[in-house]
Amino acid sequence: MNETENLQNLPVVRGEYKFNEALKNYTWLNVGGPADVMFMPKDVADLQYFLQNKDENMPVFVLGGGSNLLVRDGGIEGVVVKLSDACFREIKIESDRIICGAGLLNNVLKKTVENEGLGGLEFLCSIPGCVGGAVRSNAGCFGREISDVLISAKVVNGNGEVLELRNKDFHFAYRHSEFPSDFIIVEVTLGYERQSSEDVKKTIEQQAEYRKAHQPQGIRTAGSTFKNPPQMRAWELIKNSGADKLKIGGAQMSLQHCNFLQNDGTSNASDIEDLCDEVKRMVKDKCGVELELEVNKVGRR
Ligand SMILES: Cc1cc2nc3c(=O)[nH]c(=O)nc-3n(C[C@H](O)[C@H](O)[C@H](O)COP(=O)(O)OP(=O)(O)OC[C@H]3O[C@@H](n4cnc5c(N)ncnc54)[C@H](O)[C@@H]3O)c2cc1C
């Protein structure tokens, strides 16, 4: 699609459209082709209006912080929604819960969690990405997952209607939730237990220290590449199969943590995809275990 065709088919909105927008600049892996169109709604009503008036065959994908995404080299067809307006990053604190815009980065939420002593939310502060993305993937670490603290979330469905979903509506499992793929989470309500700010800060610091010591820092990665199979560790299977030493183009498994893959800056998405396929094949052949990708692979090859 070219820009003129796109403009003719797109509703007139208050937010912003960007055409042929390079998605590598929005993902931690720093690879991938363009979005045909990127749409940054002005607010929830603008998003609703867009969904109600867009061509019904135009696919829509929502991008969070891009920390769990492998966007393929052909880019993403249709419209990529990015909740970047300030209204999607707001925070409201109530006596036992916090209401956050889904576009809020977890590491921005961290300041509020520390200052207000919001116990139980410490784990979320060290996970890259946005609050909405964390719900989609039931993100977790240090023995907790967002499903442990999620009370409810406001979503806009594919018809542009606003719905309020409760925790159980997400059918959470390990790094997994189940809700229609066209639902866009716009607001998330999390429970907390009031603690002293010092205690919360200390926990966050300890968790950050643990990450520094055990996980690669400052690399182009998407975190854990594969899910841990039940009672097993993906990194152990990768190491035991010898796949930890694989390198394809500029993509390789990290020497510090072999379930993190990394792009040395010269890789494209197909190198990374081929590396994932080869790791899976070697683990299956040598260990008899079928690994499942934790990273979301999206777009055209
Ligand atoms: C260095 C590093 C460390 C990591 N450590 C952890 C960890 O400890 N634990 C862990 O669980 N993960 C970890 N991850 C993976 C990643 O940070 C999480 O999965 C994160 O929650 C993804 O959020 P995001 O906003 O970046 O989502 P994206 O990567 O942008 O998107 C992921 C999926 O969520 C969907 N999505 C995003 N926003 C919304 C929305 N508003 N509504 C509906 N769907 C949406 C997207 O469509 C996509 O399907 C790590 C990643 C990195 C790079």
Side-chain angles (χ1 to χ4, degrees):
M1 268 193 286
N2 64 37
E3 189 167 328
T4 317
E5 279 168 338
N6 267 325
L7 274 169
Q8 282 165 359
N9 290 331
L10 290 167
V12 177
V13 289
R14 287 177 289 117
E16 191 186 351
Y17 290 124
K18 286 184 179 174
F19 298 95
N20 221 18
E21 184 70 0
L23 290 171
K24 63 185 287 191
N25 300 330
Y26 294 84
T27 66
W28 275 60
L29 275 171
N30 197 217
V31 293
D36 288 346
V37 183
M38 183 176 276
F39 170 45
M40 284 147 292
K42 191 81 199 125
D43 50 32
V44 174
D46 198 34
L47 176 61
Q48 288 181 270
Y49 180 84
F50 166 79
L51 293 167
Q52 284 158 359
N53 292 285
K54 74 171 185 66
D55 183 317
E56 63 177 24
N57 297 318
M58 183 172 280
V60 174
F61 175 81
V62 57
L63 173 69
S67 64
N68 199 24
L69 281 186
L70 171 55
V71 177
R72 298 166 104 196
D73 295 316
I76 297 185
E77 186 188 354
V79 176
V80 170
V81 172
K82 177 85 183 141
L83 304 177
S84 52
D85 193 278
C87 74
F88 294 108
R89 292 181 272 127
E90 282 173 3
I91 299 177
K92 195 168 142 213
I93 301 176
E94 295 183 353
S95 59
D96 63 344
R97 61 194 60 198
I98 175 166
I99 302 162
C100 315
L104 180 73
L105 285 166
N106 301 326
N107 72 0
V108 174
L109 174 64
K110 177 175 141 199
K111 204 165 243 153
T112 305
V113 170
E114 287 181 342
N115 292 346
E116 301 286 331
L118 308 184
L121 298 181
E122 298 91 335
F123 76 98
L124 187 56
C125 302
S126 71
I127 301 178
C130 301
V131 175
V135 174
R136 169 62 80 183
S137 56
N138 191 16
C141 54
F142 303 109
R144 302 212 89 184
E145 305 176 314
I146 200 156
S147 56
D148 296 330
V149 292
L150 182 88
I151 295 172
S152 62
K154 196 184 273 182
V155 306
V156 181
N157 71 13
N159 298 325
E161 296 157 329
V162 174
L163 311 172
E164 189 79 26
L165 301 190
R166 291 155 303 166
N167 182 307
K168 70 178 179 58
D169 301 323
F170 287 95
H171 307 284
F172 286 116
Y174 166 62
R175 300 293 171 269
H176 179 77
S177 64
E178 242 172 81
F179 59 99
S181 60
D182 61 357
F183 279 20
I184 298 179
I185 302 166
V186 290
E187 192 181 273
V188 173
T189 301
L190 306 171
Y192 68 83
E193 283 166 24
R194 184 78 67 181
Q195 284 179 16
S196 78
S197 174
E198 290 69 34
D199 285 353
V200 168
K201 258 187 200 153
K202 200 166 154 202
T203 305
I204 289 177
E205 271 164 25
Q206 284 166 348
Q207 293 180 346
E209 285 306 315
Y210 180 91
R211 276 193 191 264
K212 267 189 209 146
H214 294 91
Q215 294 177 3
Q217 305 290 307
I219 59 166
R220 297 174 183 87
T221 184
S224 297
T225 312
F226 297 98
K227 296 182 183 185
N228 288 324
Q231 277 82 53
M232 285 183 249
R233 301 246 162 232
W235 72 263
E236 263 173 2
L237 294 164
I238 295 168
K239 198 164 190 63
N240 293 342
S241 71
D244 56 327
K245 297 184 187 65
L246 283 175
K247 188 169 196 293
I248 297 183
Q252 69 178 104
M253 304 315 285
S254 157
L255 298 175
Q256 194 183 347
H257 189 312
C258 64
N259 192 26
F260 276 48
L261 63 73
Q262 70 183 82
N263 165 15
D264 70 6
T266 64
S267 176
N268 56 25
S270 78
D271 291 338
I272 294 175
E273 198 172 348
D274 291 348
L275 179 70
C276 292
D277 289 347
E278 190 54 17
V279 171
K280 270 187 84 162
R281 193 194 59 74
M282 284 179 74
V283 169
K284 177 80 178 144
D285 284 359
K286 303 259 171 57
C287 311
V289 178
E290 192 83 53
L291 286 178
E292 188 191 337
L293 269 184
E294 183 166 322
V295 174
N296 290 276
K297 190 166 66 177
V298 291
R300 303 166 282 214
R301 180 135 183 149

